[in-house]
Amino acid sequence: MITYIEDRNNEIVVHMGSWGTYTVHERCKVFLNRLCEHYGSSFEGRKQAVCACLKIHQKVPVLIREGIILYPVIDAASKNNVWVNYCKVKKITAKQYQTLLEFHDGTMLLSDSEYRSVKMQQYRCTNYLFVLHERFAPASMLH
């Protein structure tokens, strides 16, 4: 399963945790759209759903399917984007002006993004999944 995706202009590097990495020679949005369409909707459609639910418009997480909710983490120094799978993050730690993301499979990612920004992205994913669960839980479970 996807741990994170590095966007490198005309190619992406998909990190699959302990399963290794592979390179795809296409733009990240094209790859993400194909991934979303495989599970029944477009990338833009899924972004719009999160925007409407959380009332946000920037750095929008995208729910691909159960177990894969990706959020963007922009590397401030290089302007490269990384899409992190919220479901695979075990812990985030502030490291001066960087953030260390530790994943459940033992792999790590050191990002030049601010800790509070990554923390906010984690919160958005948690909040979105909570809202989805509450909206679609059977009425008998709510009481």
Side-chain angles (χ1 to χ4, degrees), residues 75-133:
D75 185 331
S78 68
K79 301 295 184 210
N80 286 337
N81 203 3
V82 175
W83 287 83
V84 173
N85 184 354
Y86 162 81
C87 299
K88 293 295 185 178
V89 176
K90 180 178 180 180
K91 181 180 173 185
I92 60 171
T93 309
K95 296 284 186 184
Q96 294 181 340
Y97 298 107
Q98 297 177 310
T99 304
L100 178 66
L101 294 103
E102 296 179 53
F103 300 97
H104 289 290
D105 61 14
T107 60
M108 295 184 199
L109 169 66
L110 184 62
S111 173
D112 285 336
S113 54
E114 291 182 24
Y115 173 79
R116 66 180 184 81
S117 177
V118 176
K119 190 78 170 167
M120 176 57 76
Q121 289 298 81
Q122 288 282 120
Y123 170 77
R124 286 176 168 177
C125 294
T126 302
N127 193 23
Y128 185 60
L129 292 175
F130 176 78
V131 169
L132 287 180
H133 177 354

Side-chain angles (χ1 to χ4, degrees), residues 13-26:
V13 178
V14 181
H15 295 260
M16 304 289 287
S18 58
W19 293 4
T21 63
Y22 66 93
T23 301
V24 178
H25 298 285
E26 66 185 4

Side-chain angles (χ1 to χ4, degrees), residues 46-58 60-61 128:
R46 290 173 187 258
K47 272 182 60 177
Q48 288 174 6
V50 176
C51 288
C53 181
L54 298 182
K55 312 258 188 286
I56 61 172
H57 302 286
Q58 295 178 336
V60 180
Y128 185 60

Side-chain angles (χ1 to χ4, degrees), residues 7-46:
D7 185 1
R8 297 182 177 169
N9 294 327
N10 292 322
E11 71 177 20
I12 59 172
V13 178
V14 181
H15 295 260
M16 304 289 287
S18 58
W19 293 4
T21 63
Y22 66 93
T23 301
V24 178
H25 298 285
E26 66 185 4
R27 296 183 90 54
C28 191
K29 283 191 178 179
V30 171
F31 177 79
L32 292 174
N33 191 57
R34 282 192 310 110
L35 196 57
C36 289
E37 286 177 345
H38 181 77
Y39 293 103
S41 180
S42 70
F43 176 72
E44 283 303 315
R46 290 173 187 258

